[in-house]
Amino acid sequence: MNTALDNVLNKASFDKSDLVYLLSLEGEDEQQLFEKAYEIKAKYIGKKTYFRGLIEFSNICSKNCYYCGIRRSTKSVDRYELSDEEVMGAVKFAMNHNWGSIVIQAGERSNKAFTDRITQLLKKIKNTYAENPPGITLSLGEQSEEVFQEWFDAGAHRYLLRIESSTKSLYEKIHPVDAVHSFDYRLENLKRLQKLNYQTGTGVMVGMPFQTLEHLADDLIFMRDFDIDMCGMGPYIEHSETPLYEHRHQLMPTEARFRLTLRMIAILRIMMKDINIASATALQAIHPQGREMALKAGANVIMPNLTPVKYHENYHLYKNKPTVNEETDIYIQDLIKNIHAAGDSVGHGEWGDPKHYFARQSKNSI
Ligand code: 5AD
Ligand code: SF4
């Protein structure tokens, strides 16, 4: 065991230089970091993985983020929106398998027809499962306070909105610099969600062009200072039809991005012991068992994709996105087997809310 590392790992709080050091660990030292994170997960939230059935509701998007394969300017994707029946079918699958929660994700749109449709779907889900409703997470981008409130009242109680990078200058390199892609507005939206009492999740992409370990250290500090309840972080994976693709030569190899993401997860688990950390699908794009490996590094949420398979080819945010049919019993049995092999059990029949949210609420009410 590396005792210098052990001393850092046992500090009450990490400073930026500790974080950069931890982010650069390799080999046995990296393993020691993962073990520490897993130990903390076991102690504070238990060796349990929660499933959220992921429904990629629509790939229509009004934004043009430089990294994303379904950005507005991508011409080669057929744009779709799921029917009510398709959404309810996916929810049913999740409920039949006794997963406590679902996630509804889509490209960003703020027109009233869209926001109303989401409200109606939320009500339909809550009414259909009035006895035992699923926990509902939304991941639908930036919205007005009224819309966030309307969706909350209709039954959503968690929201994921990645900051992508907490460094404004880096954010502005990976997005067009205009009013609809404003860093300050993104931040304001996150604050809105927290104020409206959503369980608030954010996250970043790891291994992007122009990104340094210092940026990532700042991202971790941002998440701690913002007091997030949930986090989803995944490796950046280049997509040939996006503007950022021209900077692919400066990227580290995908395997290195994968491991760096696992280190981000492990460090965050040590810093924020009782939040929920999702094991992102992008991990699985690099390594078939990537998501299960993240559980060993401190993640505790997996979001199996319940979008009907015929739409998968049109929801490629990045290349090599897994297009397996996760909506099959064999797939799920296999996933559960891998989770057990990683040492976790599955939190069936529970919402699996982040403990941190309740601790934060009671702290704020004192
Ligand atoms: N690589 C990895 N993640 C991506 N996302 C979008 N494009 C990519 C990409 N090329 C992530 C963003 C977004 C989430 C829905 O998907 O972080 O917030
Ligand atoms: Fe749209 Fe989200 Fe992709 Fe940006 S990352 S282009 S908001 S789907």
Side-chain angles (χ1 to χ4, degrees):
M1 191 201 300
N2 177 340
T3 40
L5 169 58
D6 211 37
N7 288 340
V8 175
L9 288 175
N10 286 319
K11 278 179 141 186
S13 173
F14 299 143
D15 60 27
K16 188 165 170 181
S17 63
D18 295 329
L19 293 171
V20 171
Y21 164 69
L22 293 172
L23 286 168
S24 5
L25 296 176
E26 283 175 21
E28 282 178 22
D29 291 347
E30 182 188 58
Q31 196 49 40
Q32 196 177 325
L33 169 72
F34 295 157
E35 280 164 19
K36 176 78 182 179
Y38 194 65
E39 190 187 302
I40 299 237
K41 165 175 154 177
K43 181 166 169 198
Y44 289 86
I45 55 169
K47 295 184 190 176
K48 222 184 227 185
T49 298
Y50 296 100
F51 283 154
R52 281 86 171 86
L54 173 64
I55 305 169
E56 292 159 336
F57 173 66
S58 170
N59 63 354
I60 304 171
C61 186
S62 59
K63 285 207 163 163
N64 235 345
C65 309
Y66 288 155
Y67 42 84
C68 175
I70 63 166
R71 61 199 293 271
R72 193 181 66 218
S73 296
T74 308
K75 296 281 174 279
S76 63
V77 295
D78 293 328
R79 304 289 167 169
Y80 73 84
E81 182 172 304
L82 299 190
S83 66
D84 276 24
E85 291 65 40
E86 287 167 328
V87 172
M88 295 311 287
V91 178
K92 190 169 174 191
F93 183 92
M95 297 307 278
N96 285 350
H97 286 76
N98 207 13
W99 302 350
S101 298
I102 56 157
V103 180
I104 301 177
Q105 188 178 72
E108 187 174 310
R109 266 189 287 167
S110 48
N111 59 299
K112 189 149 164 42
F114 176 76
T115 61
D116 283 353
R117 174 115 207 269
I118 297 292
T119 306
Q120 277 155 17
L121 277 168
L122 290 169
K123 288 183 179 161
K124 192 162 181 171
I125 295 166
K126 288 288 169 178
N127 288 336
T128 308
Y129 298 97
E131 299 282 297
N132 177 27
I136 305 182
T137 312
L138 298 180
S139 176
L140 303 169
E142 295 161 4
Q143 302 290 343
S144 68
E145 184 160 337
E146 292 68 35
V147 168
F148 281 148
Q149 183 69 57
E150 183 177 310
W151 289 346
F152 192 88
D153 295 340
H157 70 298
R158 306 186 183 119
Y159 207 102
L160 296 172
L161 182 64
R162 288 189 179 177
I163 190 76
E164 314 295 358
S165 169
S166 63
T167 304
K168 187 171 177 172
S169 56
L170 178 54
Y171 189 94
E172 291 180 344
K173 280 197 171 133
I174 60 168
H175 297 96
V177 181
D178 60 24
V180 281
H181 295 87
S182 147
F183 175 81
D184 294 333
Y185 190 61
R186 172 66 52 105
L187 203 53
E188 201 180 306
N189 267 262
L190 272 173
K191 288 184 187 149
R192 259 179 206 164
L193 290 163
Q194 208 176 43
K195 192 181 97 190
L196 293 175
N197 280 330
Y198 272 97
Q199 295 172 18
T200 306
T202 193
V204 296
M205 283 178 288
V206 180
M208 290 188 282
F210 320 116
Q211 190 182 44
T212 62
L213 295 186
E214 283 75 15
H215 288 131
L216 291 170
D218 283 334
D219 292 336
L220 291 166
I221 292 169
F222 168 81
M223 293 186 227
R224 178 174 65 196
D225 291 350
F226 196 90
D227 213 8
I228 59 165
D229 304 308
M230 317 182 291
C231 179
M233 294 186 277
Y236 164 75
I237 302 173
E238 65 277 26
H239 188 295
S240 59
E241 286 175 74
T242 61
L244 225 48
Y245 194 65
E246 68 175 272
H247 302 287
R248 65 191 175 282
H249 305 294
Q250 48 163 296
L251 295 171
M252 57 181 99
T254 44
E255 175 68 20
R257 277 176 259 165
F258 175 80
R259 300 217 67 93
L260 184 54
T261 307
L262 294 185
R263 295 199 289 279
M264 283 288 283
I265 290 174
I267 299 166
L268 185 66
R269 171 58 68 210
I270 299 170
M271 292 169 74
M272 302 191 78
K273 300 179 169 39
D274 56 357
I275 65 169
N276 277 354
I277 304 181
S279 177
T281 313
L283 287 164
Q284 195 192 355
I286 297 180
H287 197 295
Q289 256 110 58
R291 293 186 302 182
E292 291 89 320
M293 289 165 79
L295 302 177
K296 279 300 226 192
N300 69 325
V301 168
I302 286 192
M303 307 194 292
N305 190 355
L306 299 186
T307 314
V309 176
K310 67 173 173 179
Y311 298 112
H312 285 197
E313 61 173 317
N314 288 312
Y315 208 89
H316 280 186
L317 308 181
Y318 42 82
K319 72 168 193 200
N320 293 337
K321 185 159 180 270
T323 48
V324 285
N325 185 2
E326 301 188 39
E327 206 175 333
T328 66
D329 288 327
I330 293 177
Y331 184 90
I332 299 301
Q333 277 163 22
D334 234 42
L335 183 61
I336 293 177
K337 221 185 288 164
N338 291 341
I339 291 169
H340 287 161
D344 274 20
S345 62
V346 176
H348 278 123
E350 298 173 54
W351 276 18
D353 286 322
K355 279 188 177 178
H356 188 81
Y357 173 77
F358 301 103
R360 185 162 66 74
Q361 297 280 307
S362 57
K363 193 171 72 189
N364 290 345
S365 63
I366 293 170

mmCIF file of all heavy atoms in Angstrom, residues 67-69 105 139 162 164 204-205 234-239 282 317-318, ligand 1:
data_model
loop_
_atom_site.group_PDB
_atom_site.id
_atom_site.type_symbol
_atom_site.label_atom_id
_atom_site.label_comp_id
_atom_site.label_asym_id
_atom_site.label_seq_id
_atom_site.Cartn_x
_atom_site.Cartn_y
_atom_site.Cartn_z
ATOM 1 N N TYR A 67 -20.301 19.029 -29.455
ATOM 2 C CA TYR A 67 -19.837 17.655 -29.244
ATOM 3 C C TYR A 67 -20.894 16.600 -29.562
ATOM 4 O O TYR A 67 -20.608 15.420 -29.635
ATOM 5 C CB TYR A 67 -19.401 17.470 -27.770
ATOM 6 C CG TYR A 67 -20.369 18.135 -26.796
ATOM 7 C CD1 TYR A 67 -21.518 17.488 -26.363
ATOM 8 C CD2 TYR A 67 -20.132 19.429 -26.328
ATOM 9 C CE1 TYR A 67 -22.410 18.103 -25.498
ATOM 10 C CE2 TYR A 67 -21.023 20.058 -25.464
ATOM 11 C CZ TYR A 67 -22.156 19.392 -25.054
ATOM 12 O OH TYR A 67 -23.036 20.017 -24.207
ATOM 13 N N CYS A 68 -22.144 17.027 -29.764
ATOM 14 C CA CYS A 68 -23.259 16.074 -29.683
ATOM 15 C C CYS A 68 -23.800 15.675 -31.053
ATOM 16 O O CYS A 68 -24.091 16.532 -31.891
ATOM 17 C CB CYS A 68 -24.361 16.705 -28.840
ATOM 18 S SG CYS A 68 -25.860 15.710 -28.784
ATOM 19 N N GLY A 69 -23.970 14.380 -31.248
ATOM 20 C CA GLY A 69 -24.399 13.836 -32.535
ATOM 21 C C GLY A 69 -25.833 14.155 -32.916
ATOM 22 O O GLY A 69 -26.210 13.999 -34.078
ATOM 23 N N GLN A 105 -35.527 11.365 -20.990
ATOM 24 C CA GLN A 105 -34.480 12.232 -21.534
ATOM 25 C C GLN A 105 -34.835 12.604 -22.976
ATOM 26 O O GLN A 105 -35.434 11.804 -23.692
ATOM 27 C CB GLN A 105 -33.147 11.486 -21.502
ATOM 28 C CG GLN A 105 -31.967 12.362 -21.865
ATOM 29 C CD GLN A 105 -30.654 11.586 -21.759
ATOM 30 O OE1 GLN A 105 -30.369 10.728 -22.579
ATOM 31 N NE2 GLN A 105 -29.871 11.880 -20.740
ATOM 32 N N SER A 139 -34.554 14.723 -17.786
ATOM 33 C CA SER A 139 -33.302 15.230 -18.336
ATOM 34 C C SER A 139 -33.668 15.879 -19.675
ATOM 35 O O SER A 139 -33.539 15.276 -20.736
ATOM 36 C CB SER A 139 -32.325 14.059 -18.508
ATOM 37 O OG SER A 139 -31.141 14.475 -19.123
ATOM 38 N N ARG A 162 -26.487 18.452 -16.885
ATOM 39 C CA ARG A 162 -25.028 18.478 -16.757
ATOM 40 C C ARG A 162 -24.479 19.878 -16.996
ATOM 41 O O ARG A 162 -24.910 20.547 -17.937
ATOM 42 C CB ARG A 162 -24.390 17.511 -17.754
ATOM 43 C CG ARG A 162 -24.587 16.047 -17.390
ATOM 44 C CD ARG A 162 -23.735 15.208 -18.317
ATOM 45 N NE ARG A 162 -23.839 13.790 -18.044
ATOM 46 C CZ ARG A 162 -23.229 12.866 -18.779
ATOM 47 N NH1 ARG A 162 -22.492 13.233 -19.827
ATOM 48 N NH2 ARG A 162 -23.341 11.592 -18.488
ATOM 49 N N GLU A 164 -21.487 20.152 -17.874
ATOM 50 C CA GLU A 164 -20.533 19.770 -18.950
ATOM 51 C C GLU A 164 -19.103 20.183 -18.624
ATOM 52 O O GLU A 164 -18.175 19.397 -18.757
ATOM 53 C CB GLU A 164 -20.937 20.310 -20.331
ATOM 54 C CG GLU A 164 -22.408 20.120 -20.708
ATOM 55 C CD GLU A 164 -22.879 18.687 -20.869
ATOM 56 O OE1 GLU A 164 -22.068 17.763 -20.723
ATOM 57 O OE2 GLU A 164 -24.087 18.473 -21.112
ATOM 58 N N VAL A 204 -20.277 16.124 -15.823
ATOM 59 C CA VAL A 204 -19.395 16.662 -16.856
ATOM 60 C C VAL A 204 -18.979 15.532 -17.797
ATOM 61 O O VAL A 204 -19.124 14.361 -17.468
ATOM 62 C CB VAL A 204 -18.110 17.287 -16.237
ATOM 63 C CG1 VAL A 204 -18.466 18.484 -15.371
ATOM 64 C CG2 VAL A 204 -17.311 16.266 -15.438
ATOM 65 N N MET A 205 -18.477 15.918 -18.951
ATOM 66 C CA MET A 205 -17.833 14.931 -19.817
ATOM 67 C C MET A 205 -16.345 14.917 -19.482
ATOM 68 O O MET A 205 -15.766 15.960 -19.172
ATOM 69 C CB MET A 205 -18.052 15.292 -21.284
ATOM 70 C CG MET A 205 -19.447 14.941 -21.751
ATOM 71 S SD MET A 205 -19.707 15.433 -23.462
ATOM 72 C CE MET A 205 -19.781 17.195 -23.292
ATOM 73 N N GLY A 234 -19.595 10.939 -17.818
ATOM 74 C CA GLY A 234 -19.157 9.904 -18.745
ATOM 75 C C GLY A 234 -17.983 10.402 -19.556
ATOM 76 O O GLY A 234 -17.745 11.613 -19.638
ATOM 77 N N PRO A 235 -17.255 9.461 -20.162
ATOM 78 C CA PRO A 235 -16.157 9.874 -21.036
ATOM 79 C C PRO A 235 -16.696 10.587 -22.266
ATOM 80 O O PRO A 235 -17.749 10.217 -22.785
ATOM 81 C CB PRO A 235 -15.492 8.545 -21.420
ATOM 82 C CG PRO A 235 -16.536 7.498 -21.195
ATOM 83 C CD PRO A 235 -17.430 8.004 -20.100
ATOM 84 N N TYR A 236 -15.982 11.592 -22.716
ATOM 85 C CA TYR A 236 -16.307 12.220 -23.997
ATOM 86 C C TYR A 236 -15.917 11.248 -25.102
ATOM 87 O O TYR A 236 -14.836 10.651 -25.076
ATOM 88 C CB TYR A 236 -15.518 13.533 -24.151
ATOM 89 C CG TYR A 236 -15.501 14.033 -25.573
ATOM 90 C CD1 TYR A 236 -16.627 14.631 -26.126
ATOM 91 C CD2 TYR A 236 -14.370 13.887 -26.374
ATOM 92 C CE1 TYR A 236 -16.627 15.066 -27.446
ATOM 93 C CE2 TYR A 236 -14.365 14.322 -27.689
ATOM 94 C CZ TYR A 236 -15.500 14.905 -28.223
ATOM 95 O OH TYR A 236 -15.498 15.329 -29.520
ATOM 96 N N ILE A 237 -16.833 11.057 -26.051
ATOM 97 C CA ILE A 237 -16.540 10.177 -27.189
ATOM 98 C C ILE A 237 -16.822 10.975 -28.462
ATOM 99 O O ILE A 237 -17.943 11.451 -28.668
ATOM 100 C CB ILE A 237 -17.414 8.902 -27.146
ATOM 101 C CG1 ILE A 237 -17.174 8.161 -25.819
ATOM 102 C CG2 ILE A 237 -17.102 7.995 -28.326
ATOM 103 C CD1 ILE A 237 -18.083 6.986 -25.581
ATOM 104 N N GLU A 238 -15.801 11.122 -29.281
ATOM 105 C CA GLU A 238 -15.944 11.996 -30.451
ATOM 106 C C GLU A 238 -16.953 11.444 -31.455
ATOM 107 O O GLU A 238 -17.097 10.238 -31.608
ATOM 108 C CB GLU A 238 -14.580 12.235 -31.110
ATOM 109 C CG GLU A 238 -13.915 11.014 -31.712
ATOM 110 C CD GLU A 238 -13.143 10.172 -30.693
ATOM 111 O OE1 GLU A 238 -13.475 10.192 -29.493
ATOM 112 O OE2 GLU A 238 -12.212 9.464 -31.122
ATOM 113 N N HIS A 239 -17.622 12.358 -32.118
ATOM 114 C CA HIS A 239 -18.614 12.006 -33.136
ATOM 115 C C HIS A 239 -18.207 12.721 -34.421
ATOM 116 O O HIS A 239 -18.037 13.941 -34.432
ATOM 117 C CB HIS A 239 -19.997 12.447 -32.661
ATOM 118 C CG HIS A 239 -21.122 11.977 -33.539
ATOM 119 N ND1 HIS A 239 -21.272 12.403 -34.841
ATOM 120 C CD2 HIS A 239 -22.133 11.120 -33.310
ATOM 121 C CE1 HIS A 239 -22.334 11.818 -35.370
ATOM 122 N NE2 HIS A 239 -22.873 11.035 -34.459
ATOM 123 N N ALA A 282 -22.087 5.984 -21.619
ATOM 124 C CA ALA A 282 -20.873 6.179 -22.430
ATOM 125 C C ALA A 282 -19.723 5.280 -21.944
ATOM 126 O O ALA A 282 -18.828 4.941 -22.725
ATOM 127 C CB ALA A 282 -20.454 7.648 -22.411
ATOM 128 N N LEU A 317 -25.512 10.195 -29.533
ATOM 129 C CA LEU A 317 -24.859 11.422 -29.088
ATOM 130 C C LEU A 317 -23.383 11.333 -29.429
ATOM 131 O O LEU A 317 -22.713 12.316 -29.644
ATOM 132 C CB LEU A 317 -25.020 11.601 -27.578
ATOM 133 C CG LEU A 317 -26.444 11.511 -27.022
ATOM 134 C CD1 LEU A 317 -26.440 11.732 -25.528
ATOM 135 C CD2 LEU A 317 -27.342 12.526 -27.677
ATOM 136 N N TYR A 318 -22.868 10.097 -29.449
ATOM 137 C CA TYR A 318 -21.456 9.851 -29.732
ATOM 138 C C TYR A 318 -21.367 8.542 -30.496
ATOM 139 O O TYR A 318 -22.328 7.775 -30.543
ATOM 140 C CB TYR A 318 -20.654 9.758 -28.425
ATOM 141 C CG TYR A 318 -21.356 8.964 -27.356
ATOM 142 C CD1 TYR A 318 -21.289 7.578 -27.333
ATOM 143 C CD2 TYR A 318 -22.143 9.595 -26.394
ATOM 144 C CE1 TYR A 318 -21.956 6.846 -26.384
ATOM 145 C CE2 TYR A 318 -22.829 8.870 -25.438
ATOM 146 C CZ TYR A 318 -22.721 7.497 -25.436
ATOM 147 O OH TYR A 318 -23.403 6.777 -24.492
HETATM 148 N N1 5AD B 1 -19.632 12.111 -25.778
HETATM 149 C C1 5AD B 1 -20.040 11.853 -24.524
HETATM 150 N N2 5AD B 1 -21.140 12.372 -23.964
HETATM 151 C C2 5AD B 1 -21.887 13.183 -24.731
HETATM 152 N N3 5AD B 1 -23.012 13.854 -24.459
HETATM 153 C C3 5AD B 1 -23.378 14.542 -25.561
HETATM 154 N N4 5AD B 1 -22.495 14.316 -26.554
HETATM 155 C C4 5AD B 1 -21.535 13.497 -26.059
HETATM 156 C C5 5AD B 1 -20.358 12.915 -26.578
HETATM 157 N N5 5AD B 1 -19.956 13.163 -27.825
HETATM 158 C C6 5AD B 1 -23.621 13.888 -23.127
HETATM 159 C C7 5AD B 1 -23.692 15.325 -22.593
HETATM 160 C C8 5AD B 1 -25.147 15.545 -22.370
HETATM 161 C C9 5AD B 1 -25.675 14.151 -22.221
HETATM 162 C C10 5AD B 1 -27.114 14.001 -22.474
HETATM 163 O O1 5AD B 1 -24.921 13.417 -23.157
HETATM 164 O O2 5AD B 1 -22.967 15.393 -21.384
HETATM 165 O O3 5AD B 1 -25.415 16.316 -21.219
#
